[in-house]
Amino acid sequence: MKNRANVIRLLNAGYRRIPLPAEVPADALKDQSSAPIQNVAGGLPAELKSTLAEPPALPALRGDVQADVAVLGAGYTGLTAALALAETKKVLVLAKGRLDSGSTAWAQGGIAAVLDAGDTFENHVRDTMIAGAGLNNRETVEFVIERAPASIDRLSELGVPFNREAGDLHLTREGGHSHRRIVHVNDATGWAVQAALLKAAEENPNITLLPGQSCVDLITGRNQVDYSGSGRV
């Protein structure tokens, strides 16, 4: 707590009622929660800059929120799962801070997929295994790589404005890759993906988004007075 970086880290995490010792510099108390937005704003295309407005106030909870599935986390993984589950289920997404403050928004690079003429899944798998010094789980590597092109198509459908040239995706080549595979949105790909997924989730009637929530424990049927082995939350 005597270290400024630790104070800022706590502020970013939303712990704003922690008593601070007198040695902490006054300027360390400045709320840095908007830092991700400031860092990537310059790299966003014009159509995404409108997403940088302040989010609405946190919703007031009244009574129980009923859902079939609870998803903890509102980044790429959480929102992607929520959108898939929402096709048949009522989904509750919980985020410990702002809905746009997770790790996804910090990603500045791009997403690798076999999209270039002459490239193959086998090439991508080989490059990945070499880069991982053979420690990768090959089955997992193959699973991800073979589904990457379809994932890029899905993100495009959801409104992620990947950079293009003459209508085709603009591909770059990064370290470890033998072909051009990286699709990107300028230098703020993560923020663009987060914004598109969040918009889709907000517009889905089967998804409820709750920011500013802390999950301490999950109470399941095993904790009922009348014991149930169902495992339901």
Side-chain angles (χ1 to χ4, degrees):
M1 289 296 293
K2 293 182 180 180
N3 180 286
R4 176 192 166 112
N6 288 337
V7 173
I8 297 301
R9 195 174 299 115
L10 288 171
L11 288 174
N12 280 334
Y15 299 98
R16 293 184 171 82
R17 294 188 176 87
I18 294 178
L20 301 174
E23 305 87 57
V24 176
D27 63 350
L29 303 181
K30 181 180 179 182
D31 188 345
Q32 301 291 317
S33 61
S34 63
I37 294 178
Q38 296 169 351
N39 287 345
V40 303
L44 286 176
E47 61 267 27
L48 279 179
K49 290 189 177 180
S50 62
T51 66
L52 302 184
E54 283 298 310
L58 301 183
L61 295 180
R62 292 183 174 85
D64 295 334
V65 177
Q66 299 294 326
D68 300 308
V69 181
V71 175
L72 307 185
Y76 174 83
T77 303
L79 292 177
T80 299
L83 288 167
L85 290 165
E87 295 180 5
T88 58
K89 307 289 184 183
K90 290 288 187 180
V91 183
L92 173 64
V93 178
L94 303 174
K96 66 180 179 181
R98 291 167 48 134
L99 293 170
D100 57 10
S101 64
S103 299
T104 297
W106 287 90
Q108 295 177 315
I111 307 171
V114 175
L115 300 166
D116 195 19
D119 196 6
T120 65
F121 290 147
E122 290 75 17
N123 288 337
H124 198 176
V125 169
R126 184 187 65 249
D127 292 347
T128 304
M129 296 303 294
I130 292 173
L135 300 176
N136 325 45
N137 181 302
R138 188 180 182 90
E139 184 177 354
T140 300
V141 170
E142 292 174 349
F143 181 93
V144 173
I145 287 174
E146 291 171 3
R147 287 160 178 76
S151 295
I152 300 301
D153 290 341
R154 175 59 174 157
L155 289 173
S156 294
E157 292 171 1
L158 289 172
V160 178
F162 291 115
N163 293 102
R164 294 177 179 269
E165 283 186 341
D168 295 325
L169 288 168
H170 180 262
L171 303 175
T172 63
R173 180 177 169 183
E174 295 182 352
H177 293 279
S178 58
H179 289 73
R180 297 185 309 128
R181 298 191 179 112
I182 313 301
V183 297
H184 60 102
V185 181
N186 295 354
D187 61 350
T189 307
W191 183 264
V193 169
Q194 178 77 26
L197 290 173
L198 190 54
K199 181 175 184 293
E202 289 172 338
E203 294 174 351
N204 192 307
N206 282 339
I207 297 177
T208 299
L209 299 165
L210 287 180
Q213 306 297 312
S214 293
C215 181
V216 177
D217 201 357
L218 296 177
I219 301 174
T220 71
R222 296 179 178 82
N223 303 111
Q224 293 178 182
V225 174
D226 296 325
Y227 176 83
S228 169
S230 66
R232 291 181 62 84
V233 176

